[in-house]
Amino acid sequence: MSDLAEPETFKSRINEILRTFLTGEVDRFLDIDEALRPVGEEIEKVARHGKRLRAAFCYWGWRAAGQPDSDALMRAAASMELVHAAAVVHDDLIDGSPLRHGVPTAHLALQDAVRGRPDTPAAARALAMLAGDYLMALAGQLFTTCGLPAAYLARARTVWAALARELIAGECLEILHTGGDHTDTDTPLKVIRYKTAKYTVEQPLLLGGMLAGASRALRETYSCYGIPLGEAFQLRDDLLGLFGDPERTGKSGLDDIRTHRPTALLALTWRRADAAQRRELRRILGSDGLHGEHLNEIRTLMTDVEAPARVERMIDARVEEAVRSLDGVDVPAQARRALLDLAHRATARHH
C-alpha cells in the first residue's frame, strides 16, 4: 500500500472495501425479505459515489502520527464514507433535492418501489429516511469491526460520539435558521462548521489520530488544520451549487435558492445589495416554479454585489490558515505532502 498517496489508488482501495462490506450486509438484509431489495440496492448505489476525502483525512491522520500502512485502518477510514452517504440521503430528503451525482436522489428513486399507492411520495421519503439511518448504523459497524485492537478503538469513542452529535446539530441548525435573517453571516458559518466542516476534515483526522495514539499537540494541530479547511470545502460547495456546471456537479443549481438555505453566499448578497437589489432578490426567492432564468438572474445579482468574489477570498484565507498550521509540526514527510495535497483537492475543485 506504499502508493496510497496517489488519490486514484486510494479511492480504488476504499471503493473495494465498501463494495465488499456492503454486498455482505445487503445480502443479510435481503435474507429477511426479498421485498427489501429496492432499499438494499439504493444503499449500495448511494455509497458508490464520492471523492473519498473523508477516508483520506482519517488515513493520513493515522499516518501523520507515525503509524504504518494498515488494512484494518483502511477499513476504519472507509467507515467515514458511510457516514457521508447517510448524511447525503438525509440532507437530500430534508432539502427535497431532485439530483445527486446526476441521478435521482434516494427519496425519488425509491418511489418506484411503492408506485401505485396514494401516498407514494411520503412512503418513498420514509424508505429513504430509514436507508439513511441504516447507513449510519453500518458506518459504526464497519468502524468497530475494522480489525484494529479494542484498545485503539476505545481511544476514538469520544470523537465518534462528537461526530454524530455535531453533524446532527448542524443539520438541525440549518433547518431552524432557514428563512431567518438573510443578512446574518455568523449563522451560516456556524451551520457550515457543524453540518459539514467538522465531519469532513477535522473529525476524520482526529479519529485517525486517536486510533494511532497521537499526542495532544498533534491533535490540536489537526483541529487547527481541519476546521478552516472544512469550512473552505463547504464554501466552495456553496459556490458550485449556484455557479457550477450541473453536468459536472451532478446537482440542480436551484436547490439552495428553492430551499432558502442559510449560506454565506446568500447572506453576503443580502448585506451588500441596495434596496432595489433586495426587492429583486425577494422576488426571485419568492417565485413559484423556479427555473433556469431565475438562476441566471440571481447569479447576475450576486456577481454585481461581488458576493462570489468575497466568498472566494474567504476560501483562500481558510486554506492559508489550514496550511500554515502545519508549519513546524513534526510529522513524516509523506504525510505532510499528503495533507497539503488534500487541502488543495478539497477546495480547488469543479464538482
Side-chain angles (χ1 to χ4, degrees):
M1 297 202 302
S2 60
D3 55 354
L4 282 180
E6 293 297 325
E8 288 308 311
T9 301
F10 182 89
K11 183 177 179 179
S12 176
R13 176 64 179 136
I14 292 294
N15 286 345
E16 180 59 23
I17 290 170
L18 291 174
R19 187 194 66 78
T20 301
F21 174 75
L22 288 175
T23 296
E25 290 301 321
V26 169
D27 284 348
R28 283 184 278 277
F29 186 60
L30 298 185
D31 284 343
I32 298 170
D33 197 299
E34 182 61 25
L36 296 167
R37 182 167 295 278
V39 179
E41 290 178 348
E42 192 62 27
I43 284 169
E44 291 185 291
K45 186 187 83 176
V46 171
R48 212 172 285 143
H49 299 286
K51 304 171 187 66
R52 308 314 189 200
L53 289 172
R54 292 160 184 85
F57 283 119
C58 183
Y59 176 78
W60 290 107
W62 164 273
R63 293 296 307 277
Q67 292 283 6
D69 292 330
S70 162
D71 286 332
L73 187 280
M74 286 291 288
R75 285 172 57 81
S79 72
M80 297 295 95
E81 298 302 325
L82 295 183
V83 171
H84 179 52
V88 162
V89 172
H90 286 149
D91 197 45
D92 289 341
L93 177 59
I94 291 165
D95 292 343
S97 300
L99 292 174
R100 174 78 66 162
H101 302 294
V103 298
T105 47
H107 62 278
L108 294 183
L110 285 166
Q111 287 189 9
D112 288 340
V114 288
R115 190 72 67 192
R117 291 172 44 164
D119 60 346
T120 291
R125 289 173 67 85
L127 288 175
M129 178 186 70
L130 293 167
D133 292 346
Y134 190 29
L135 278 162
M136 194 67 173
L138 289 172
Q141 182 179 339
L142 180 56
F143 185 79
T144 56
T145 62
C146 66
L148 289 172
Y152 287 31
L153 296 174
R155 292 195 295 244
R157 283 177 189 157
T158 56
V159 179
W160 186 271
L163 184 155
R165 178 174 61 249
E166 292 173 355
L167 171 57
I168 292 170
E171 191 73 70
C172 289
L173 284 172
E174 181 174 79
I175 295 169
L176 290 166
H177 290 290
T178 291
D181 180 2
H182 292 304
T183 63
D184 172 19
T185 53
D186 291 338
T187 294
L189 289 174
K190 189 169 189 176
V191 169
I192 282 174
R193 174 170 290 198
Y194 286 97
K195 181 187 168 187
T196 304
K198 291 173 78 67
Y199 100 90
T200 297
V201 186
E202 183 205 22
Q203 287 159 340
L205 275 170
L206 287 172
L207 279 169
M210 293 294 278
L211 290 169
S215 68
R216 179 184 295 274
L218 183 54
R219 298 197 308 270
E220 289 174 354
T221 295
Y222 287 170
S223 292
C224 291
Y225 167 93
I227 291 175
L229 184 59
E231 290 178 354
F233 172 89
Q234 184 56 43
L235 288 168
R236 173 63 64 204
D237 217 49
D238 290 345
L239 276 177
L240 289 172
L242 271 168
F243 289 89
D245 178 1
E247 291 294 320
R248 302 187 73 174
T249 65
K251 304 176 188 177
S252 168
L254 292 166
D255 278 359
D256 288 352
I257 303 173
R258 180 172 44 78
T259 58
H260 297 195
R261 284 178 55 201
T263 65
L265 181 60
L266 184 58
L268 284 169
T269 302
W270 276 103
R271 289 182 66 173
R272 294 183 57 79
D274 60 26
Q277 289 168 324
R278 288 189 179 186
R279 285 194 298 272
E280 181 71 0
L281 196 52
R282 288 191 186 93
R283 179 189 67 79
I284 297 169
L285 294 176
S287 298
D288 293 326
L290 288 167
H291 51 72
E293 187 55 36
H294 291 118
L295 180 59
N296 291 334
E297 289 172 350
I298 204 162
R299 282 173 170 174
T300 299
L301 197 158
M302 287 180 165
T303 302
D304 286 346
V305 300
E306 300 182 342
R310 285 178 174 264
V311 173
E312 288 284 1
R313 290 197 287 274
M314 291 169 69
I315 293 170
D316 290 344
R318 283 161 171 77
V319 173
E320 182 181 348
E321 179 183 351
V323 169
R324 192 169 56 245
S325 72
L326 299 176
D327 291 346
V329 179
D330 184 20
V331 297
Q334 186 184 28
R336 182 186 300 277
R337 287 194 299 271
L339 291 173
L340 292 173
D341 177 63
L342 282 167
H344 174 77
R345 288 199 287 124
T347 54
R349 55 194 173 89
H350 302 285
H351 59 89

